[in-house]
Amino acid sequence: MSVLNGVSYGLLLFMLSAGLTLIFSMMGVLNFAHASFYMLGAYFAYQVSSWSNFWVGLLIAPILVALLGGLFERYVLRKTHKFGHVPELLVTFGLSFVILEIVQLIWGRTSVDYPVPPSMSGSLFKVFDSTFQMYRGFMMLVAILMLVCLFLILKKTRIGLVIQAALTHPDTTEALGHNVPRVFAIVFAAGCALAGLAGVIGGNAFITEPGMAQSVGAIIFVVIVVGGMGSLAGALVASLLIGLMQTFAVGLDWSFAGGLARLGMDITAETPGYSLLKLKLSQVAPILPFLLLVVMLVVRPKGIMGTRDD
Amino acid sequence: MNTEKFALEVKELQAFYGKSHILQGVNVNVREGEIVALLGRNGAGRSTLAKAIMGMVDTKGDVIWRGKNIAGMKAYEVAHLGIGYVPESRDIFPKLTVEQNLMLGEKGGKKKGRWSFDDMYKMFPRLRERQHTEAGVLSGGEQQMLTLCRTLMGDPDLILIDEPTEGLAPAIVQLVAEYLRELKRRGISVVLIEQKLAIAMQISDRVYVMGDRRIVFEGTPAELKADANIRKEWLEV
C-alpha cells in the first residue's frame, strides 16, 4: 500500500520536476518560481471549482497557469536573458515572492477548503486492513497520461524534435530557420502547465495553503539535482525514489537506538547522544531528501542520469 | 559607380561581441550562382562576418539580400529568406539520428525544397548507411557532410560555409570541393570561408582576403596568385 502511495506522490513530483528540468535545460538556470506555478494551479482550481466544479478546474487551471507562464517568459525572462544568468535567476526568485504575496492577498494566509471531488473520495480497493484512496489512483492516472503525452510529443512529433535540438544547440537550431524564442516560450508555458496540473491534483490531495510552494519547491530541486540536471529520465527515477522514500519513512518506527539494541548493545537514556539515537525514522522523514541530496552531491555530483561533465 | 546587381551586398558592416569590435567596415558582394572565397588567418573576422550576415551577432551597417536590407533581422528570419549557414564547429545534434538531423534542416513551410533526402544520400552514400545512427558517433568527415546536407535541406539560395574542410583527409576535401561545384551548377551562391588556399583557388570565382577585421584584397584567384605581397602579409603563416 505504501508502495502505491509512494508512487503516486513520486509521479506528482515528476509532473513538477519534468517541467523544471526542461526549463533548466533551456535557460541554463533554475526557475525558482516553478513551485509557485504549482501553487497557482491549486488556487485557481480551488477558485474555479467553487464556482462550478472540480472537472472544470482541472481543465481551466493549467491553461491559466500556462498563459501566465508564457507571458512571464515573453515579457520578463526574454528581456532579462541578455544580461546573463544571475539576473535571470534573481527575476524568477523575485517572481516567487510576488506570487506568494498575491496569493495571500487574494486568498488569505491560511489554507483554503479545496476538497477532493465527492465522486473521487472513498477507497478504490482494500488490501488487508489498509485502503488505497480512489483519488490517489486518479492522481496516478493523470500523471501517467501526462507522462505518455510528454514522451510522445518530444519523441514522435516535429515540434518535439525542434525542442530537443533547441534545448542543446539553440544558435544552430535558429540558424536552420526555427523560431527558437517561440519554442522557448512554448516550453516554458508547457512546463508551467504541468506544474499547474500538479497543483490541481495535488492541492486537494494534500493541502492548499500559501506555504505549499515553498515546501514542495525544496523537494523538486532535490529531485532534479539527484536525477541529473536536464535529464527527464533522471527526474522520473529520482521522483519515484523520493516519493517512495518519504512515504515509507513516515510509516516506519525504526531508530538507531532500536537497531543497536537489537544488536545487543545496551542503550539507555544515559548513553551519549541518546536524544539523537532515539529519533525514529518517521520523525526524520522530512530531512531524508536533503540528506540524499548531500550524499548525491558528494558521491556523484552530476546526478543519476546527468550528462554534464562540469 | 557600380550599378551591377548583386545577390548579396554587405556594406560598411561592423560587428560587435559585447564591447569588442570585431568587424570594422566590411564590404563584400556576391553574384547569383557565384562561389566567393573568404580567406585570411584565424581571428581575421571571417567567421564573424558569416554570423553577422546571419544576424547572430550585433551589427551596424547594411546587409542587402536581393534588394532587401536584412541587417538586424533574427537568424531564423534570415534563414527563411533563403540564406543557409553551415557552422564551423560541425555543430550537429549528437543525440539525434542522421535522419533527424536532416529533418531539422527542413524549414517546414508549404514550399517543397529542391533537395530530397535521397539527393543527400546519393551524394554521400555513407550517410544513407548511417541514417539511423546517432550523429554523435559519426567520424569528423561524416559529421561535416551531415552539417552541409542539413543546411541544404532548408533549400537555401545562398550558403555560407565556414571551414568545411578543416581536419578532413585529402580525399574527403576533394569530395567537399566537388559538392560545392554541384551547388553552383544548381544555381546556388556560395560564400566559402577557407583556410586551405589550394581548394579555394581551385573552385572560387572570386576571392576576398580579410586581415585585421577588414577586407584587404578583392579579385580573382589568378589575381591573388599574382600578388605575392598580399599572400605574404595576410595569408601565409
Side-chain angles (χ1 to χ4, degrees):
Chain A
M1 202 51 56
S2 290
V3 173
L4 278 175
N5 281 329
V7 168
S8 70
Y9 181 56
L11 286 171
L12 184 81
L13 286 180
F14 179 63
M15 288 176 81
L16 280 162
S17 51
L20 184 60
T21 206
L22 277 180
I23 292 169
F24 171 79
S25 315
M26 178 181 101
M27 301 201 306
V29 297
L30 281 173
N31 172 18
F32 270 94
H34 198 70
S36 307
F37 288 107
Y38 163 78
M39 176 165 72
L40 280 180
Y43 274 95
F44 286 169
Y46 156 72
Q47 196 63 61
V48 174
S49 63
S50 75
W51 290 331
S52 57
N53 63 46
F54 170 77
W55 304 103
V56 179
L58 180 68
L59 189 72
I60 291 181
I63 296 175
L64 286 177
V65 176
L67 274 177
L68 284 179
L71 289 175
F72 175 69
E73 199 282 340
R74 176 70 185 77
Y75 292 103
V76 182
L77 264 187
R78 199 179 296 181
K79 292 196 159 54
T80 319
H81 182 74
K82 56 177 168 288
F83 301 116
H85 281 166
V86 173
E88 264 181 304
L89 197 75
L90 288 177
V91 85
T92 66
F93 204 57
L95 178 71
S96 70
F97 287 113
V98 171
I99 291 180
L100 178 63
E101 288 303 323
I102 289 176
V103 162
Q104 289 183 343
L105 273 176
I106 300 178
W107 289 288
R109 290 178 182 276
T110 51
S111 65
V112 294
D113 179 30
Y114 170 39
V116 169
S119 56
M120 280 285 155
S121 48
S123 65
L124 195 57
F125 54 80
K126 260 186 140 161
V127 178
F128 303 113
D129 56 348
S130 48
T131 57
F132 184 62
Q133 301 291 327
M134 180 146 54
Y135 195 70
R136 286 272 175 159
F138 173 71
M139 280 171 68
M140 286 173 74
L141 184 74
V142 171
I144 289 170
L145 277 179
M146 179 285 301
L147 209 159
V148 171
C149 284
L150 188 68
F151 179 82
L152 287 179
I153 289 172
L154 276 178
K155 295 290 178 191
K156 301 288 173 196
T157 67
R158 189 174 159 81
I159 179 82
L161 193 61
V162 175
I163 290 172
Q164 287 183 66
L167 290 183
T168 52
H169 301 74
D171 291 345
T172 307
T173 309
E174 183 166 348
L176 289 170
H178 302 290
N179 189 341
V180 171
R182 194 176 63 197
V183 169
F184 280 5
I186 291 172
V187 170
F188 197 89
C192 290
L194 285 182
L197 183 62
V200 177
I201 62 175
N204 51 6
F206 305 108
I207 186 168
T208 301
E209 53 158 4
M212 67 191 288
Q214 210 198 351
S215 58
V216 79
I219 302 285
I220 58 172
F221 287 147
V222 174
V223 167
I224 71 163
V225 171
V226 169
M229 296 250 204
S231 161
L232 269 179
L236 177 61
V237 172
S239 299
L240 292 175
L241 185 69
I242 288 176
L244 288 171
M245 200 167 87
Q246 289 272 65
T247 315
F248 272 107
V250 171
L252 293 176
D253 279 342
W254 297 347
S255 67
F256 274 113
L260 294 175
R262 196 164 293 180
L263 291 174
M265 289 171 73
D266 192 22
I267 306 288
T268 63
E270 277 77 53
T271 315
Y274 179 72
S275 55
L276 267 180
L277 291 175
K278 73 167 194 226
L279 279 176
K280 287 173 181 157
L281 200 52
S282 53
Q283 289 172 295
V284 297
I287 66 161
L288 283 181
F290 305 102
L291 220 54
L292 180 67
L293 172 73
V294 172
V295 172
M296 197 64 179
L297 286 175
V298 172
V299 177
R300 191 177 157 83
K302 64 183 176 180
I304 297 174
M305 301 198 183
T307 47
R308 270 152 206 271
D309 304 319
D310 47 341
Chain B
M1 183 71 195
N2 189 352
T3 53
E4 190 185 350
K5 283 285 281 179
F6 291 103
L8 180 75
E9 292 172 78
V10 175
K11 292 179 181 170
E12 288 300 318
L13 193 68
Q14 307 184 39
F16 311 86
Y17 275 131
K19 285 198 175 102
S20 49
H21 197 171
I22 308 291
L23 298 181
Q24 303 182 334
V26 168
N27 295 286
V28 168
N29 299 316
V30 183
R31 296 186 184 92
E32 298 280 355
E34 189 179 42
I35 299 182
V36 170
L38 211 53
L39 304 172
R41 296 198 183 100
N42 281 334
R46 299 168 305 148
S47 297
T48 305
L49 177 55
K51 286 186 178 154
I53 294 170
M54 280 311 287
M56 296 167 82
V57 290
D58 293 335
T59 57
K60 262 189 215 153
D62 294 329
V63 179
I64 316 283
W65 166 240
R66 295 187 162 168
K68 185 173 181 174
N69 195 345
I70 61 168
M73 281 190 179
K74 299 229 158 51
Y76 69 90
E77 296 169 323
V78 173
H80 272 276
L81 289 172
I83 301 186
Y85 172 58
V86 183
E88 171 182 32
S89 41
R90 287 178 204 150
D91 217 344
I92 46 141
F93 305 115
K95 295 280 175 206
L96 303 179
T97 65
V98 167
E99 192 178 27
Q100 286 175 320
N101 267 270
L102 291 178
M103 283 165 71
L104 279 163
E106 295 178 303
K107 296 194 190 100
K110 300 125 244 145
K111 199 181 79 177
K112 190 92 189 96
R114 75 191 98 174
W115 307 91
S116 69
F117 283 80
D118 252 5
D119 291 333
M120 300 300 129
Y121 292 149
K122 237 173 255 162
M123 220 168 338
F124 298 117
R126 278 298 280 162
L127 293 183
R128 187 198 300 275
E129 289 164 29
R130 319 206 71 176
Q131 57 183 305
H132 300 300
T133 310
E134 267 189 20
V137 305
L138 298 185
S139 72
E142 290 163 349
Q143 291 188 2
Q144 186 62 59
M145 293 167 198
L146 183 57
T147 48
L148 287 169
C149 292
R150 186 181 60 188
T151 301
L152 220 49
M153 290 304 287
D155 197 19
D157 295 317
L158 179 142
I159 193 163
L160 305 162
I161 308 184
D162 200 347
E163 299 273 9
T165 64
E166 199 190 4
L168 297 189
I172 303 181
V173 171
Q174 272 312 310
L175 193 64
V176 171
E178 193 40 54
Y179 169 93
L180 295 178
R181 282 212 186 93
E182 173 65 22
L183 296 190
K184 179 182 157 75
R185 274 196 287 276
R186 301 235 190 169
I188 297 175
S189 317
V190 176
V191 174
L192 170 66
I193 295 171
E194 193 41 89
Q195 196 82 260
K196 296 191 178 68
L197 208 54
I199 179 174
M201 302 291 247
Q202 180 194 341
I203 64 171
S204 347
D205 298 301
R206 285 185 307 119
V207 177
Y208 287 90
V209 176
M210 277 188 86
D212 206 13
R213 302 162 185 200
R214 58 204 165 80
I215 300 288
V216 293
F217 173 87
E218 176 186 353
T220 63
E223 284 164 356
L224 179 60
K225 210 167 260 170
D227 197 333
N229 282 338
I230 287 285
R231 279 187 284 132
K232 191 161 183 199
E233 189 173 357
W234 299 109
L235 295 174
E236 280 149 26
V237 189

